[in-house]
Amino acid sequence: MNFQLKVLLLSFVVSVILGAIIIPILRKLKVGQIERTDGPQSHLQKQGTPTMGGIIMALTMLLISGFLYWEYMKTEPDVATRMIPLVFVTLGFGLVGFVDDFKKLVLKNTEGLKPAYKMIGLLIIAVAYTLYLVKYLNIGTETYIPILKEYITLPIWLYIPFAIFVLLGTTNAVNLTDGIDGLSTSVTTIILTCLVSISIILGIKEVTLAGTILIGACLGFLIFNLHPAKVFMGDTGSLMLGGVISSIALYLKMPLLLVVIAIIPVLEALSDIIQVMYYKKTGKRVFKMAPLHHHFELSGWKENKIVVVFSLITLIACAVGLKII
């Protein structure tokens, strides 16, 4: 636990230092947020705020995991080796988001990465990671059922598409949650803390290390991301955070637990799906605006209130999740 605390603090400090260096660079390059004119009017004042801030968390992950890999290769090479795929899948999802952000914000291509290309990129990473779990790591297809508190073995033909769906679904859900200062970062940090706690209980060191690095990176980033945000994470950050949550849950054989502990991203995604489907069918809206956090914004809630309430809900959901495993 003492070593994990050191990793957390180191990641936090590195994230803060990188933030202090990178944010002025992003501002100088005029890599600013482009707000939708049909979105909440209060968001128009955020126009031009530096984005692509997920680079801060990605670089922190890369630097600290590299250092830990070097350290653990001396004492526990198996742990060091098994940590690398977790780092790669996290940075891989972030890379897809970075390409999208880069095209939109640096190259000034308003479309960014075409949706089909973005999905193909995410799909390639999801398939590669799933095959790693099944073929190389050979952890089997056991999946934990939280309420029943027992494992079931899924047939391989069902497990692979299921795992890919978890990776893609979670990544996009966290991406939708990123729409208010500090919301996605706060919610994700709590979820990650829950997953790391489970990995500590189960004694899975590589997950503990990878998760702890990201928690520290998120906390450091949050200093700049709280309202009023000095930087936004962009798709670089949101896709990366969704990737790490889902990849860790699969590694722990507990993807179904995400339905509970990641309740906010789940509701954000559902609200968006419901809104689109209902509007296409009736021409009317269920919510004032989707995803869900925008509905509460237009209902008069301040951004800080939404972040606090959604974070508290996540905290309670994680407490429930730890109770039912």
Side-chain angles (χ1 to χ4, degrees), residues 21-60:
I21 296 171
I22 291 173
I23 293 173
I25 295 174
L26 293 175
R27 190 177 292 115
K28 187 175 181 180
L29 294 174
K30 296 182 179 180
V31 183
Q33 177 77 356
I34 302 171
E35 290 294 339
R36 293 163 43 193
T37 55
D38 59 342
Q41 293 302 300
S42 60
H43 283 213
L44 294 178
Q45 63 188 6
K46 300 180 182 184
Q47 187 87 10
T49 301
T51 189
M52 285 178 69
I55 296 172
I56 297 167
M57 293 181 284
L59 286 176
T60 301

Side-chain angles (χ1 to χ4, degrees), residues 281-306:
K281 187 174 183 179
T282 67
K284 298 178 181 179
R285 292 177 171 84
V286 177
F287 306 99
K288 293 181 178 180
M289 185 177 287
L292 191 60
H293 56 264
H294 287 321
H295 171 80
F296 287 103
E297 262 194 295
L298 295 181
S299 297
W301 286 31
K302 299 295 184 183
E303 289 192 41
N304 283 339
K305 180 178 180 179
I306 297 172

Side-chain angles (χ1 to χ4, degrees), residues 183 186-188 190-191 194 258-268 292-293 296 301 305-321:
L183 178 60
S186 300
V187 167
T188 303
I190 296 170
I191 296 169
C194 179
L258 290 176
V259 177
V260 178
I261 66 175
I263 186 63
I264 291 299
V266 168
L267 291 177
E268 294 273 24
L292 191 60
H293 56 264
F296 287 103
W301 286 31
K305 180 178 180 179
I306 297 172
V307 173
V308 170
V309 171
F310 281 28
S311 295
L312 286 174
I313 291 172
T314 303
L315 189 62
I316 293 169
C318 286
V320 172

